Amino acid sequence: MTTQMIEQTRNDPWRDVPHVVVLLNFGGPTSSQEVEPFLRRLFEDPFIIRAPLPARFRRMLARRIATKRAPKSSAEYAKIGFSPINRMTNAQAAHLEATLRQIRPNTKVVVINRYTAPYAEDVVKTIDFTNSRIFMVTLYPHLCHSTTVSSLRDFDLAVEAHLGHRHIPTTRVFSWWQTPRYLAHTYQRLEQGLAPLLKSDPSEPVTVVFSAHGIPVKYHNRGDPYVTETHAHFNELKRRGEDWLAAHYPQAKVLWDLSFQSRVGPVEWVKPYTDETIQRLGKERGGSVLLVPISFTADHIETLYEMDHTYRELALASGFKRYARVVPSNDDPELAASLVDALKAHGF
């Protein structure tokens, strides 16, 4: 700690007050036995299937979908060794807690997953709501109702079931992609993925495809800010990349695109779709393609299977000569450092 930080800590009126940071994430199955329960909780979520269904019918529908999808999903998860996302979330929680304790020693970081353990209904029973300052932050960089708001609502319902009401004071970080440290971190990962392709063959075009998890168009049209925030993040990373290229690879031909993946069901999702984008650009451009998982902070089924298997095969079959992918933060402590900055900006 710097001298200034030590002095601030000494004068901090909340120094000895218990602080709880609730770190929220998606969760993922770690064995074949967990796949169907994971899918069932996913499709029971009213922020995923937004139909005005009674609870009993929603559970029946979710069970039916989960039963149908489980065999295929289990095979895909088995191919990647099941989801590492829970392990990465725990690593980030440990990094976050260690750093925050340098500011306020009596700080605890607890993890809540939306669709796999640890569940909100269990974790809220361990929190001292009377004496603690409580901060909440998700591992979703961009605000989206299907992820951010769903996780926060899940926490509120668990609190209400535990306390009989949900009126507890919490400070909530809804969006943090624009944190300067996180922008620098995600740009560094982009540069690390792009540089080897440029060094290998500077004369070949390189297509950089940023891919975010999609949402239905009607969610976007109703005011969900996710797509707008994703576009803003993409444009900032593209701007930095173009400045770097002008300084170091002025002759390089690098083209930038943003697309959306993982659509399901019969409704229209936000376009352009990643698979269609890869197929079209492979035929038009050739050369190399670099996939950038812009909305994901850890590897999981969408990166390890969808990107590394499905999109790789599609890209090479469509005309690209080389395929590469940027690795998300995973257990890199720089992600936790970015969250610290976001929490400090919200009064931690």
Side-chain angles (χ1 to χ4, degrees), residues 137-151:
V137 63
T138 76
L139 279 173
Y140 316 123
H142 315 99
L143 173 56
C144 180
H145 293 156
S146 298
T147 52
T148 313
V149 177
S150 174
S151 289

Side-chain angles (χ1 to χ4, degrees), residues 11-299:
N11 299 326
D12 181 6
W14 285 312
R15 173 181 167 79
D16 297 319
V17 174
H19 283 65
V20 177
V21 175
V22 183
L23 186 62
L24 301 146
N25 206 0
F26 201 83
T30 59
S31 68
S32 58
Q33 291 77 20
E34 293 181 5
V35 172
E36 188 169 334
F38 165 78
L39 293 173
R40 190 165 60 246
R41 286 184 71 101
L42 175 68
F43 291 111
E44 281 180 7
D45 187 347
F47 282 87
I48 300 299
I49 297 180
R50 301 188 192 181
L53 299 173
R56 183 166 63 91
F57 287 105
R58 182 176 293 280
R59 287 193 295 270
M60 289 174 57
L61 177 62
R63 190 179 306 113
R64 182 176 179 180
I65 297 172
T67 301
K68 183 178 180 180
R69 291 174 64 95
K72 181 175 183 291
S73 294
S74 292
E76 293 174 355
Y77 274 110
K79 194 166 186 177
I80 65 169
F82 294 94
S83 179
I85 196 170
N86 299 339
R87 177 163 43 87
M88 299 306 177
T89 302
N90 290 335
Q92 291 298 340
H95 295 320
L96 186 59
E97 184 175 271
T99 306
L100 291 175
R101 282 183 173 178
Q102 295 180 43
I103 304 170
R104 298 206 169 95
N106 197 2
T107 296
K108 177 173 68 172
V109 176
V110 298
V111 170
I112 292 177
N113 285 329
R114 184 64 184 89
Y115 306 115
T116 58
Y119 298 118
E121 55 261 36
D122 299 317
V123 176
V124 297
K125 297 173 183 177
T126 70
I127 298 174
D128 181 356
F129 291 103
T130 303
N131 300 303
S132 304
R133 293 182 80 212
I134 299 169
F135 290 79
M136 305 183 68
V137 63
T138 76
L139 279 173
Y140 316 123
H142 315 99
L143 173 56
C144 180
H145 293 156
S146 298
T147 52
T148 313
V149 177
S150 174
S151 289
L152 292 169
R153 175 182 176 272
D154 183 50
F155 175 85
D156 287 339
L157 292 176
V159 169
E160 187 171 42
H162 177 51
L163 299 178
H165 66 87
R166 61 174 75 177
H167 308 299
I168 56 169
T170 61
T171 299
R172 304 181 176 203
V173 181
F174 287 91
S175 174
W176 48 269
W177 69 268
Q178 65 287 90
T179 304
R181 190 155 187 169
Y182 186 67
L183 284 173
H185 170 58
T186 50
Y187 172 70
Q188 182 185 44
R189 296 225 160 217
L190 167 63
E191 189 180 298
Q192 289 172 346
L194 188 54
L197 296 176
L198 296 171
K199 291 175 181 176
S200 175
D201 190 346
S203 65
E204 274 197 343
V206 177
T207 296
V208 182
V209 178
F210 289 76
S211 186
H213 199 294
I215 61 171
V217 169
K218 62 183 179 181
Y219 297 1
H220 175 57
N221 291 341
R222 290 172 184 170
D224 193 306
Y226 170 74
V227 174
T228 301
E229 294 200 0
T230 304
H231 272 276
H233 192 181
F234 161 74
N235 285 325
E236 177 58 24
L237 295 182
K238 176 185 174 183
R239 182 190 67 78
R240 296 183 187 205
E242 289 177 336
D243 289 346
W244 175 71
L245 288 168
H248 297 89
Y249 297 92
Q251 305 303 318
K253 185 179 181 182
V254 178
L255 304 152
W256 309 82
D257 294 271
L258 173 64
S259 60
F260 297 88
Q261 68 181 82
S262 307
R263 66 188 187 276
V264 294
V267 301
E268 183 182 7
W269 285 52
V270 173
K271 294 180 178 179
Y273 301 142
T274 300
D275 54 354
E276 293 179 359
T277 298
I278 291 173
Q279 201 164 24
R280 174 175 57 83
L281 296 181
K283 294 175 182 176
E284 292 176 0
R285 300 175 183 172
S288 300
V289 61
L290 176 68
L291 261 286
V292 183
I294 189 172
S295 62
F296 308 119
T297 55
D299 277 319

